[in-house]
């Protein structure tokens, strides 16, 4: 096992003895925005999926008068319903706007609990801070970041 240090915190990176990752699920960590559902539908056609984690700065349990926030909540619920229908685990992580430290901690905790999984980071939707934070984390854990532009993966 290899240790690495991020912002004063130690994390373990679990690898098999030959340097390859152990077998696990393909987990998609997606930044949430109002286009999340269409982005998700494109992603599942291109990448293998075994579970989804949606990261948002909008509390999906609250009622929102703001149209943009309501659209985000609707997109998140739509992805949750799709995952439920096909029996994929789906978790929602709410991170206050601009809190890179909390984003890092929540995603790294997920990684530490399940280092055998393969992580894909969809940075298409959500605000810039959220998407850039997920991109940085993908580099730290050896995940694959991707962006979907007009229905095509980039």
């Amino acid at each position: 096992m290899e240790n690495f240090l991020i912002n004063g915190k130690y994390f373990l990176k679990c690898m098999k003895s030959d340097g390859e990752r152990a077998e696990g699920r393909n987990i998609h960590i997606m930044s949430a925005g109002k286009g999340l559902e269409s982005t998700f539908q494109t992603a599942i056609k291109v990448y293998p999926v075994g579970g989804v984690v949606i990261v948002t700065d909008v509390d999906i349990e609250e009622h929102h008068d703001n149209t943009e926030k309501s659209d985000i909540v609707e997109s998140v619920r739509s992805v949750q319903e799709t995952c439920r229908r096909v029996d994929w685990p789906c978790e929602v992580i709410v991170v206050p706007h601009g809190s890179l430290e909390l984003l890092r901690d929540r995603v790294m905790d997920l990684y530490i609990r399940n280092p055998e999984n393969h992580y894909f980071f969809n940075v298409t939707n959500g605000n810039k801070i959220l998407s850039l934070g997920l991109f940085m984390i993908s580099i730290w854990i050896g995940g694959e970041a991707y962006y979907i532009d007009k229905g095509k993966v980039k």
Side-chain angles (χ1 to χ4, degrees):
M1 289 201 208
E2 173 186 343
N3 291 325
F4 57 103
L5 180 69
I6 299 174
N7 211 19
K9 292 187 177 190
Y10 278 99
F11 296 96
L12 292 175
K13 189 168 189 176
C14 298
M15 306 292 268
K16 294 194 310 189
S17 59
D18 62 0
E20 293 295 317
R21 281 181 189 247
E23 290 300 315
R25 289 180 177 241
N26 294 302
I27 304 298
H28 287 256
I29 301 175
M30 307 182 79
S31 54
K34 66 181 180 179
L36 176 64
E37 173 60 23
S38 63
T39 299
F40 178 67
Q41 292 301 323
T42 300
I44 63 178
K45 293 174 186 169
V46 176
Y47 292 104
V49 179
V52 176
V53 176
I54 302 168
V55 183
T56 181
D57 61 356
V58 176
D59 187 343
I60 64 165
E61 300 302 322
E62 288 183 15
H63 171 72
H64 298 281
D65 293 328
N66 178 309
T67 304
E68 184 177 348
K69 288 184 179 183
S70 295
D71 289 346
I72 292 169
V73 170
E74 187 178 316
S75 277
V76 169
R77 289 188 177 145
S78 180
V79 170
Q80 287 177 307
E81 177 58 23
T82 300
C83 289
R84 186 195 62 72
R85 282 193 312 247
V86 295
D87 202 26
W88 289 330
C90 183
E91 178 180 347
V92 176
I93 296 175
V94 178
V95 177
H97 182 72
S99 180
L100 285 174
E101 294 81 13
L102 184 57
L103 173 64
R104 177 206 59 215
D105 291 349
R106 295 293 305 273
V107 174
M108 294 305 292
D109 286 344
L110 175 70
Y111 174 75
I112 289 166
R113 287 192 321 264
N114 304 286
E116 71 282 358
N117 289 340
H118 302 280
Y119 293 93
F120 296 86
F121 291 80
N122 182 304
V123 298
T124 308
N125 301 292
N127 63 58
K128 290 177 185 173
I129 294 171
L130 187 61
S131 294
L132 287 171
L134 290 177
F135 177 76
M136 288 187 310
I137 295 167
S138 76
I139 294 169
W140 295 337
I141 68 172
E144 182 175 338
Y146 64 96
Y147 180 85
I148 294 177
D149 184 25
K150 299 177 184 162
K152 296 185 180 172
V153 177
K154 305 262 180 179

